Amino acid sequence: MSFMNPVTVIPKHVPDEELRTFGTLDSYEEYITHQYRDTMSLLEKYREHRTHDPELSAEYRNAMRPIMLTTCWGEAQTTAQVAQIITKTNRPTIQYFYATHALDEVRHTQIEWRRIRDLDLADSLDVPYEQTELFRFVNGLPSFVEIVYGQVCTLEAYSAHVLFNSIIDLAKQHGDLATAVTYEYVMHDEVRHIGTGLRVVKEAIDSSPDPEEAQFRILDLEEKLLPITIRKLGRDSAIAHSLYESGLIADKRTFEFDGFRQYLIFRSKIPNLPPMRYQGPDGWTAADALE
């Protein structure tokens, strides 16, 4: 039974190798130990750097509000996206990894919300309805390979590298070191999610009864998914507008192009995908973005 099947099927046989990879007690204890050590380090840096909070201007806080609220809201929704992945596979190795991924997303939501409250940016996690479109689309994808690709290459790789890295850079520029260390901590997990997720996508394609069909599912997905992503993170988005109006980015088009470039970088890490049919904003192609 291929783990691309969109229906959960309980196999009558689970190979020993499936049970040993990722899913041993030792590996889970190692994960817990690592997260505890990282969390203690974050708390120490966070408490030290919050001393700069009174120096942060109202203009800076207002500019950061849309990007930080959208990011935190996205973390809260990603737990549900990851649950979709778990239900679409019967492989214990994949289920184990995405169970830890779900734990990470819940933790990210909590620590990012703490920073939002400390900056007094909001008292509830509300985002414009159009910002929910990307998550609603990915949540409805029918097959394992589509939802993993949508989750990893768009919701994780694209969004994380555009939003999180932008927050880190902007926070450092304005002396907001507590925000910077918060999102640096989150990025430690995102690197693991993205790296493992790209490998899972490759394995899903390779193990498919029809690898060519799996590849063309991705090509079809890109033509629908990337326009939604660009509406959320591109030059016309609330995020780009807020950052530009506050002087935190110099060019909304460049901000959009940087995100498109990030997507193509991660796409290129999945071997043997056919050339992308979708042409980016202003006719951008993979050749334009990667040159």
Side-chain angles (χ1 to χ4, degrees):
M1 177 63 67
S2 166
F3 74 152
M4 282 182 58
N5 193 311
V7 179
T8 300
V9 178
I10 300 175
K12 64 181 181 180
H13 170 70
V14 182
D16 176 61
E17 183 176 353
E18 290 289 319
L19 299 173
R20 286 187 286 107
T21 307
F22 276 123
T24 66
L25 180 60
D26 286 346
S27 62
Y28 189 73
E29 288 178 339
E30 183 180 351
Y31 164 80
I32 294 296
T33 300
H34 170 77
Q35 294 300 350
Y36 177 78
R37 184 175 61 246
D38 244 17
T39 300
M40 290 300 101
S41 176
L42 169 66
L43 283 172
E44 182 178 342
K45 293 176 182 176
Y46 188 80
R47 289 164 180 157
E48 175 186 350
H49 292 321
R50 278 202 59 206
T51 57
H52 298 286
D53 284 4
E55 304 164 12
L56 303 175
S57 68
E59 291 78 10
Y60 168 77
R61 294 170 193 253
N62 289 335
M64 293 295 274
R65 181 178 291 108
I67 188 170
M68 289 180 68
L69 285 177
T70 298
T71 301
C72 187
W73 180 90
E75 301 278 22
Q77 305 312 309
T78 299
T79 307
Q81 304 286 152
V82 171
Q84 287 265 9
I85 296 174
I86 295 171
T87 63
K88 285 181 167 63
T89 178
N90 56 36
R91 291 185 56 176
T93 54
I94 307 303
Q95 291 169 333
Y96 171 81
F97 173 74
Y98 281 103
T100 63
H101 187 153
L103 288 175
D104 293 340
E105 300 302 339
V106 172
R107 190 175 65 256
H108 295 173
T109 303
Q110 292 175 334
I111 67 169
E112 291 172 24
W113 179 245
R114 173 181 62 195
R115 189 59 190 149
I116 288 169
R117 292 299 301 128
D118 285 348
L119 290 174
D120 197 24
L121 301 185
D123 55 16
S124 63
L125 198 53
D126 300 311
V127 299
Y129 186 72
E130 59 267 21
Q131 290 289 349
T132 71
E133 183 183 12
L134 179 59
F135 282 85
R136 287 183 285 115
F137 179 83
V138 173
N139 199 50
L141 293 172
S143 72
F144 180 84
V145 71
E146 288 170 291
I147 196 166
V148 174
Y149 189 85
Q151 175 67 39
V152 172
C153 281
T154 303
L155 295 180
E156 297 278 344
Y158 194 133
S159 295
H161 279 264
V162 172
L163 294 176
F164 296 159
N165 284 334
S166 295
I167 292 171
I168 293 167
D169 290 344
L170 294 167
K172 286 182 176 178
Q173 289 173 23
H174 291 80
D176 182 7
L177 301 181
T179 294
V181 298
T182 295
Y183 287 90
E184 285 173 344
Y185 169 87
V186 170
M187 279 302 294
H188 294 169
D189 288 335
E190 299 300 343
V191 169
R192 181 171 62 92
H193 299 166
I194 294 164
T196 303
L198 291 171
R199 179 167 64 80
V200 169
V201 172
K202 178 183 181 300
E203 290 176 358
I205 295 171
D206 293 344
S207 66
S208 169
D210 186 351
E212 186 173 307
E213 190 267 346
Q215 291 174 348
F216 279 92
R217 274 184 179 267
I218 290 175
L219 294 185
D220 287 337
L221 173 61
E222 287 178 324
E223 291 187 293
K224 301 169 185 173
L225 187 58
L226 286 173
I228 299 173
T229 306
I230 289 167
R231 283 198 295 273
K232 174 186 175 184
L233 297 173
R235 73 191 78 173
D236 296 324
S237 67
I239 289 171
H241 178 76
S242 176
L243 296 176
Y244 179 76
E245 288 300 312
S246 64
L248 298 182
I249 59 172
D251 187 330
K252 290 189 282 186
R253 184 177 181 273
T254 299
F255 179 76
E256 178 178 279
F257 189 54
D258 286 344
F260 185 61
R261 181 186 292 112
Q262 283 294 336
Y263 171 80
L264 292 171
I265 289 171
F266 286 100
R267 186 191 196 274
S268 70
K269 296 182 184 298
I270 302 173
N272 303 320
L273 278 184
M276 187 170 63
R277 295 192 301 231
Y278 172 76
Q279 286 199 335
D282 303 337
W284 292 334
T285 65
D288 296 325
L290 296 176
E291 66 182 9

